[in-house]
Amino acid sequence: MKFSRDAPELDPTDRSILELLQDNCKQPLAAIGEKVGLSAPAVVERIHKLEEAGVIRSYTALLDARRLGKDVTAFIGVGATPDALRLVEGAVAGMDEVLECHHVTGVHTLMLKVKTQNTASLERLIEDVRSLSGVSRTETMVVLSTQTERTRIALEVDQDEIQRPRRPGARRRTIK
């Protein structure tokens, strides 16, 4: 891995490690090493460098919101005055139901992705957002169904570029 001012330059092994961690960050490091042709300590060293570079921000469990009683997903477009933008962003960051807050172009200033228990709790959340100083308007879009929702960042991994030391008699393995 080479570090530039903006982003590290990842080699094929780094990208493969990142793909494997996105699949399952709890898999044994030795298993990752076997798939990319490195020892477990070498994998640990690469992962540590990726963490230090900020490429890996954290590790988390993905939960099923419905099974936890959060049945309603919605997007809330928020109009905010420029002088109140940072205050509004800070306030919505403190609202547990707000999963994402993006500063966007177009009609809205911010776009929020939220998950709530039901429409009554969504209505309360919308009222809380509308009551913030500097918010001029909101527009809410309730999600009826979700076909695709991912957290994975697509990485190009060219299997032929990965340098894998071969042990005598060892079979070549590919990442699936």
Side-chain angles (χ1 to χ4, degrees):
M1 171 183 350
K2 293 180 183 175
F3 293 96
S4 70
R5 193 165 168 241
D6 296 325
E9 185 180 311
L10 304 176
D11 67 21
T13 302
D14 292 326
R15 290 192 303 273
S16 293
I17 289 170
L18 290 170
E19 282 285 343
L20 291 163
L21 288 172
Q22 287 187 102
D23 283 340
N24 177 5
C25 69
K26 289 185 70 175
Q27 64 185 300
L29 297 174
I32 292 173
E34 187 176 313
K35 292 174 183 169
V36 299
L38 296 175
S39 67
V43 170
V44 169
E45 184 178 330
R46 282 187 180 245
I47 289 173
H48 181 69
K49 286 180 181 178
L50 291 164
E51 291 168 346
E52 296 260 322
V55 174
I56 297 174
R57 295 186 333 191
S58 69
Y59 300 90
T60 188
L62 297 176
L63 307 178
D64 187 322
R66 282 212 150 140
R67 291 179 185 240
L68 296 169
K70 302 288 185 176
D71 231 11
V72 176
T73 302
F75 292 89
I76 304 173
V78 178
T81 58
D83 56 319
L85 180 60
R86 297 294 170 235
L87 292 173
V88 173
E89 288 174 328
V92 298
M95 298 176 179
D96 290 338
E97 299 91 347
V98 177
L99 302 179
E100 299 174 16
C101 174
H102 304 276
H103 187 184
V104 297
T105 61
V107 176
H108 306 294
T109 310
L110 300 173
M111 184 62 66
L112 312 179
K113 179 181 178 182
V114 304
K115 287 194 184 272
T116 66
Q117 188 174 9
N118 51 41
T119 56
S121 59
L122 175 60
E123 190 173 15
R124 283 190 298 275
L125 176 62
I126 294 167
E127 187 53 42
D128 290 346
V129 172
R130 284 183 178 160
S131 70
L132 295 173
S133 179
V135 171
S136 57
R137 69 190 177 291
T138 64
E139 179 183 7
T140 303
M141 294 143 280
V142 175
V143 174
L144 300 176
S145 66
T146 301
Q147 283 68 45
T148 305
E149 185 175 50
R150 47 175 80 97
T151 59
R152 171 183 216 79
I153 304 295
L155 299 171
E156 292 183 25
V157 177
D158 184 350
Q159 297 301 316
D160 295 331
E161 290 182 12
I162 298 173
Q163 301 297 321
R164 292 197 174 104
R166 303 246 347 227
R167 296 181 301 270
R171 291 184 9 209
R172 186 170 187 101
R173 302 189 101 156
T174 58
I175 298 173
K176 295 181 181 180

